[in-house]
């Protein structure tokens, strides 16, 4: 029994959710989840944002990195003491003592006292109101002299009563949530039935459309065959007439030639008069001009999204928050960002440099937060022309530093370790360079076919959107080894990719389908944004630290801002604001939106208050 109890407590209470073993130096986050100090330090360091925040690995709540370092996080003394008590209870225990083990461990945990870390032989019996900390008697003399000191027992009793009262009130809300969860679960079956029925109706409608289309195709083919049959008969009749006249002429000419060559004088005199008249008449026979055949052509009908939706129907989802009154991140809810009524272009510069070989054609953009600089790609070969085959580095103020020459580059991403990852359409791979411009390695050779957009997720892995293979390829940044492949069956022309910093969702722009797809971290499609059918030729996508999604709408020369759930917020800038062919986007460390225009202009917008 003792062993079972100990194992159960260790597995369910004393196990860190990151390393999945017993806690080592357990520390409590502000959201009251506990982790090993080493585990949470590693997690926070790897995922730290520019705002010096990281997410709790369990509840995803945003945690502010302590000003004095993670060692400022409070220790979970209860977990540490529980571990010690279990160990002591198991040592030297006899069979007769097993029945009392559960009660002994429970009582020991409930009644345990905590020793002072600085004075190990002293119990923490006092509370310093000025420093809000529990101390021992020696601490009063050495570090808290003159402070307001109370008995920890009295203060704890008061706080215990307050916590109990708050807990009673909160438990009522907890019960309400429990009931709501039960209701949502009960609705799952009904939703599943309605969903299945709706899909069946969609397929029936599509079958009707297919049948009508097949019938119309057969009619058109029949009309086309009939028209060509009539044309063929007319051409055969014309051919017969021409062959008849040709035969008559040829026969008279052959006879005349034979008469001239082999005929006697008598024979010539016999046929001369009539033959000359015959040849003279035939000489004047008009050669008919071939009739211009009737033009048979096919003009495809206009295929439009509106027409398709009118025939096939559409799914309508009422726009609303996931749960009214609740936010995904409760700690950030009181400080929701406010968009400016009109975004302000605070800076603009040209990405043209003196020795460019041709006219600039930008496609890629990324920000290096460490050095507050940016890299723009100028080199995509299109049916219109080709750029300069370069990735250029500029300061935040637009001062040119250097460029890297590549074989038809398309997009670029920068890691926190100081490496640039650039997709090369010409070499069908990812080129890896240092931010100083020195080539390090390549990745994806033999795997990638048409690598387009590139980004790094919060784990530091390199994600490449491959239009040729309609897939996302994920590589380990350090080794270049393939980690995962996500098929993009929902896409027609995937171009750019980004990962939302708030929920790890994957955002893909689809140039031909005129939409943006949002996928879960595992590749399941969550939703797509089409802007009520108004989105046209989307290109670059990015997200900010609040999870807002931004789309460079190349087809209509504007920047679209969406909520993390995909609801339209506003246009950041449009053609009326002087925006011209926006192609790539990024967010700089100041929280401003950086826009690269296709023809070589970089513009920076302040969009939040």
């Amino acid at each position: 029994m003792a062993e079972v109890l100990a194992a159960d407590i260790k597995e369910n209470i004393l196990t860190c959710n990151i390393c999945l073993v017993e806690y080592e130096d357990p520390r409590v986050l502000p959201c009251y989840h506990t982790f090993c100090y080493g585990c949470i330090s590693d997690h926070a360091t790897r995922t730290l944002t520019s705002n010096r925040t990281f997410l709790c690995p369990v509840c995803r709540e945003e945690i502010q990195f302590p000003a004095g370092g993670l060692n400022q996080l409070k220790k979970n003394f209860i977990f540490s003491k529980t571990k010690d008590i279990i160990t002591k209870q198991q040592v030297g225990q006899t069979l007769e003592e097993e029945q009392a083990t559960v009660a002994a461990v429970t009582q020991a945990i409930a009644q345990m006292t905590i020793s002072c870390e600085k004075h190990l032989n002293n119990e923490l019996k006092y509370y310093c109101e000025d420093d809000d900390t529990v101390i021992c008697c020696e601490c009063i003399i050495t570090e808290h002299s003159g402070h307001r000191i109370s008995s920890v027992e009295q203060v704890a009793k008061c706080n215990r009563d307050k916590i109990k009262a708050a807990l009673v009130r909160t438990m009522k809300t907890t019960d309400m949530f429990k009931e709501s969860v039960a209701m949502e679960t009960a609705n799952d079956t009904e939703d599943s039935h309605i969903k299945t029925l709706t899909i069946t109706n969609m397929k029936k409608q599509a079958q009707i459309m297919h049948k009508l289309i097949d019938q119309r195709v057969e009619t058109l083919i029949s009309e086309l065959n009939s028209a060509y049959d009539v044309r063929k008969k007319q051409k055969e009749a014309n051919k017969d007439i021409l062959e008849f006249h040709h035969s008559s002429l040829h026969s008279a000419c052959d006879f005349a030639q034979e008469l001239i060559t082999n005929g006697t004088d008598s024979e010539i005199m016999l046929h001369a008069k009539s033959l000359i008249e015959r040849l003279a008449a035939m000489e004047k026979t008009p050669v008919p001009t071939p009739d211009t055949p009737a033009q048979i052509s096919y003009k495809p009908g206009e295929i439009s999204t509106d027409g398709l939706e009118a025939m096939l129907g559409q799914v309508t989802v009422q726009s609303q928050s996931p749960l009214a009154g609740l936010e995904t991140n409760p700690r950030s809810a009181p400080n929701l960002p406010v968009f400016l009524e009109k975004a302000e272009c605070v800076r603009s510069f040209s990405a043209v440099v003196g020795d460019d070989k041709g006219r600039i054609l930008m496609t890629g953009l990324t920000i290096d937060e460490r050095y507050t600089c940016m890299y723009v790609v100028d080199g995509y070969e299109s049916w219109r022309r080709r750029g300069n085959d370069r990735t250029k580095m500029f300061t935040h103020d637009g001062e040119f530093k250097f460029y890297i020459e590549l074989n038809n580059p398309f997009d670029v991403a920068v890691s926190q370790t100081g490496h640039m990852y650039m997709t090369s359409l010409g070499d069908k791979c990812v080129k890896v360079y240092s931010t100083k411009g020195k080539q390090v390695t390549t990745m994806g050779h033999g795997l990638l076919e048409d690598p387009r957009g590139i980004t790094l997720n919060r784990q530091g892995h390199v994600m490449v959107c491959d239009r040729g293979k309609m897939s996302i390829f994920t590589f380990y940044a350090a080794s270049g080894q393939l980690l995962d492949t996500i098929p993009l069956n929902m896409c027609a022309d995937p171009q750019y990719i980004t990962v939302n910093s708030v929920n790890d969702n994957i955002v893909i722009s689809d140039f031909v389908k005129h939409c943006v797809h949002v996928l879960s971290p595992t590749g399941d499609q969550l939703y797509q944004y089409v802007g009520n059918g108004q989105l046209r030729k989307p290109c670059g996508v990015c997200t900010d630290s609040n999870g807002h999604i931004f789309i460079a709408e190349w087809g209509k020369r504007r920047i679209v801002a969406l909520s993390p759930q995909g609801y339209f917020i506003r246009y950041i800038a449009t053609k009326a604001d002087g925006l011209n062919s926006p192609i790539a986007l990024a967010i700089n460390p100041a929280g401003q939106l950086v826009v690269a225009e296709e023809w070589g202009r970089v513009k920076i917008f302040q969009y939040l208050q």
Side-chain angles (χ1 to χ4, degrees):
M1 181 184 295
E3 288 77 5
V4 173
L5 173 64
D8 186 63
I9 292 177
K10 288 180 179 179
E11 180 178 354
N12 296 288
I13 299 179
L14 300 181
T15 298
C16 172
N17 281 291
I18 296 179
C19 64
L20 302 179
V21 297
E22 291 182 38
Y23 288 111
E24 289 292 339
D25 192 5
R27 300 297 180 104
V28 186
L29 296 183
C31 59
Y32 295 100
H33 286 111
T34 301
F35 305 93
C36 299
Y37 175 71
C39 292
I40 197 60
S41 296
D42 178 65
H43 169 77
T45 302
R46 286 189 296 102
T47 63
L48 194 65
T49 68
S50 58
N51 297 326
R52 293 190 62 76
T53 62
F54 62 94
L55 301 183
C56 170
V58 174
C59 66
R60 313 299 291 173
E61 182 171 335
E62 189 176 54
I63 308 298
Q64 185 66 48
F65 197 91
L70 290 174
N71 58 358
Q72 301 296 314
L73 294 175
K74 294 182 179 180
K75 293 186 177 183
N76 193 326
F77 291 101
I78 295 178
F79 284 7
S80 297
K81 201 68 177 180
T82 302
K83 180 179 177 181
D84 293 340
I85 291 172
I86 290 175
T87 302
K88 292 178 181 179
Q89 288 289 337
Q90 288 179 309
V91 175
Q93 189 175 45
T94 64
L95 182 63
E96 291 77 9
E97 293 172 328
E98 283 192 5
Q99 296 180 353
T101 299
V102 176
V105 172
T106 304
Q107 183 178 9
I109 295 173
Q111 296 181 354
M112 67 184 178
T113 58
I114 302 174
S115 299
C116 178
E117 285 187 316
K118 298 179 180 179
H119 311 99
L120 299 179
N121 295 325
N122 295 338
E123 296 179 0
L124 299 174
K125 291 185 176 182
Y126 303 97
Y127 172 71
C128 177
E129 298 182 17
D130 293 342
D131 294 334
D132 186 25
T133 184
V134 181
I135 59 177
C136 71
C137 56
E138 288 190 47
C139 289
I140 297 176
I141 300 172
T142 58
E143 299 180 20
H144 300 269
S145 178
H147 292 187
R148 293 175 296 170
I149 307 298
S150 303
S151 167
V152 72
E153 182 178 0
Q154 295 175 352
V155 178
K157 183 180 183 304
C158 180
N159 286 335
R160 183 178 283 106
D161 293 339
K162 291 180 180 179
I163 294 172
K164 183 178 180 180
L167 179 60
V168 171
R169 294 192 298 269
T170 306
M171 285 302 295
K172 294 180 180 179
T173 305
T174 303
D175 292 339
M176 293 172 63
F177 271 93
K178 184 178 180 180
E179 293 176 4
S180 297
V181 170
M183 292 177 62
E184 291 289 340
T185 303
N187 290 333
D188 283 348
T189 302
E190 182 181 358
D191 286 349
S192 178
H193 174 71
I194 294 175
K195 175 184 173 183
T196 302
L197 181 61
T198 303
I199 293 175
T200 301
N201 290 335
M202 288 179 180
K203 291 181 177 181
K204 286 182 178 179
Q205 184 72 359
Q207 289 173 354
I208 293 172
M209 291 175 61
H210 281 302
K211 184 177 180 180
L212 292 174
I213 291 172
D214 291 340
Q215 291 175 350
R216 180 57 182 163
V217 168
E218 290 299 324
T219 300
L220 291 173
I221 292 174
S222 176
E223 292 175 354
L224 183 69
N225 288 333
S226 177
Y228 272 100
D229 287 343
V230 171
R231 179 170 170 171
K232 182 179 180 181
K233 290 178 181 179
Q234 184 62 48
K235 291 176 69 175
E236 288 176 350
N238 292 338
K239 182 181 177 181
D240 289 343
I241 294 173
L242 293 172
E243 287 180 345
F244 170 78
H245 284 285
H246 177 264
S247 177
S248 297
L249 287 167
H250 192 270
S251 176
C253 290
D254 285 349
F255 182 85
Q257 183 65 45
E258 183 66 24
L259 185 63
I260 293 171
T261 304
N262 302 312
T264 64
D265 293 342
S266 299
E267 289 174 332
I268 290 176
M269 293 306 296
L270 179 65
H271 295 286
K273 183 177 180 180
S274 60
L275 182 59
I276 291 172
E277 291 177 353
R278 172 75 172 171
L279 291 174
M282 298 186 75
E283 177 188 357
K284 297 178 181 178
T285 303
V287 179
T289 302
D291 294 335
T292 302
Q295 295 297 316
I296 303 173
S297 62
Y298 167 68
K299 182 180 180 180
E302 182 179 353
I303 300 175
S304 67
T305 302
D306 293 339
L308 182 62
E309 289 181 354
M311 291 185 290
L312 190 57
Q314 60 183 350
V315 176
T316 303
V317 181
Q318 184 178 359
S319 296
Q320 63 181 24
S321 300
L323 287 174
L326 293 180
E327 294 295 331
T328 304
N329 188 342
R331 288 176 62 85
S332 62
N335 301 309
L336 291 176
V338 178
F339 278 75
L340 292 171
E341 189 64 29
K342 183 176 179 59
E344 177 186 2
C345 183
V346 297
R347 192 174 297 104
S348 175
F349 66 89
S350 172
V352 176
V353 299
D355 62 343
D356 279 344
K357 295 174 291 186
R359 191 175 177 184
I360 194 169
L361 183 62
M362 295 206 299
T363 55
L365 168 70
T366 192
I367 304 294
D368 188 344
E369 295 185 359
R370 298 174 310 144
Y371 302 113
T372 318
C373 61
M374 66 185 72
Y375 298 89
V376 296
V377 177
D378 169 18
Y380 170 51
E381 181 178 9
S382 70
W383 59 271
R384 291 162 294 174
R385 65 172 188 274
R386 185 165 183 167
N388 291 288
D389 285 340
R390 295 171 172 176
T391 294
K392 305 173 182 177
M393 187 270 214
F394 294 87
T395 67
H396 183 64
D397 295 324
E399 179 185 356
F400 172 71
K401 291 297 184 182
F402 66 87
Y403 62 75
I404 300 170
E405 291 192 338
L406 295 110
N407 185 5
N408 201 5
F410 186 86
D411 198 12
V412 58
V414 178
S415 70
Q416 294 184 351
T417 60
H419 288 90
M420 282 192 297
Y421 301 85
M422 293 170 282
T423 51
S424 170
L425 300 180
D427 294 330
K428 298 183 179 181
C429 68
V430 175
K431 298 282 189 176
V432 185
Y433 280 73
S434 72
T435 50
K436 301 293 185 181
K438 181 179 180 181
Q439 184 170 1
V440 177
T441 184
T442 61
M443 59 177 62
H445 263 305
L447 291 173
L448 301 176
E449 180 178 318
D450 188 3
R452 297 281 168 155
I454 188 169
T455 190
L456 282 86
N457 60 20
R458 288 199 292 176
Q459 289 72 43
H461 301 141
V462 180
M463 304 182 73
V464 181
C465 179
D466 193 303
R467 188 179 71 164
K469 292 191 174 179
M470 289 293 180
S471 297
I472 298 171
F473 290 88
T474 303
F475 300 92
Y476 286 105
S479 64
Q481 181 181 356
L482 181 66
L483 173 63
D484 190 22
T485 303
I486 297 175
L488 296 176
N489 301 324
M490 75 294 295
C491 292
D493 185 16
Q495 290 283 339
Y496 290 85
I497 180 173
T498 191
V499 176
N500 199 315
S501 59
V502 169
N503 49 31
D504 290 333
N505 289 341
I506 304 168
V507 184
I508 299 284
S509 64
D510 195 326
F511 192 79
V512 169
K513 269 195 174 181
H514 307 296
C515 69
V516 168
H517 306 276
V518 179
L519 317 180
S520 72
T522 56
D524 298 319
Q525 183 166 21
L526 301 177
Y527 61 86
Q528 69 175 19
Y529 177 80
V530 296
N532 293 325
Q534 298 302 310
L535 194 69
R536 286 294 177 268
K537 294 179 170 44
C539 289
V541 288
C542 75
T543 64
D544 64 10
S545 59
N546 300 297
H548 298 124
I549 302 170
F550 299 91
I551 306 168
E553 192 178 0
W554 183 87
K556 290 195 174 180
R557 302 184 185 181
R558 60 193 182 189
I559 306 297
V560 182
L562 308 179
S563 72
Q565 294 78 30
Y567 304 129
F568 176 80
I569 298 177
R570 68 181 61 217
Y571 296 117
I572 299 299
T574 66
K575 180 181 178 181
D577 301 311
L579 197 63
N580 185 20
S581 302
I583 195 77
L585 305 175
I587 301 293
N588 66 18
Q592 298 166 326
L593 180 65
V594 184
V595 181
E597 295 179 335
E598 186 175 24
W599 312 125
R601 200 80 192 165
V602 177
K603 296 179 179 178
I604 302 173
F605 291 89
Q606 180 70 43
Y607 63 92
L608 294 179
Q609 292 183 3

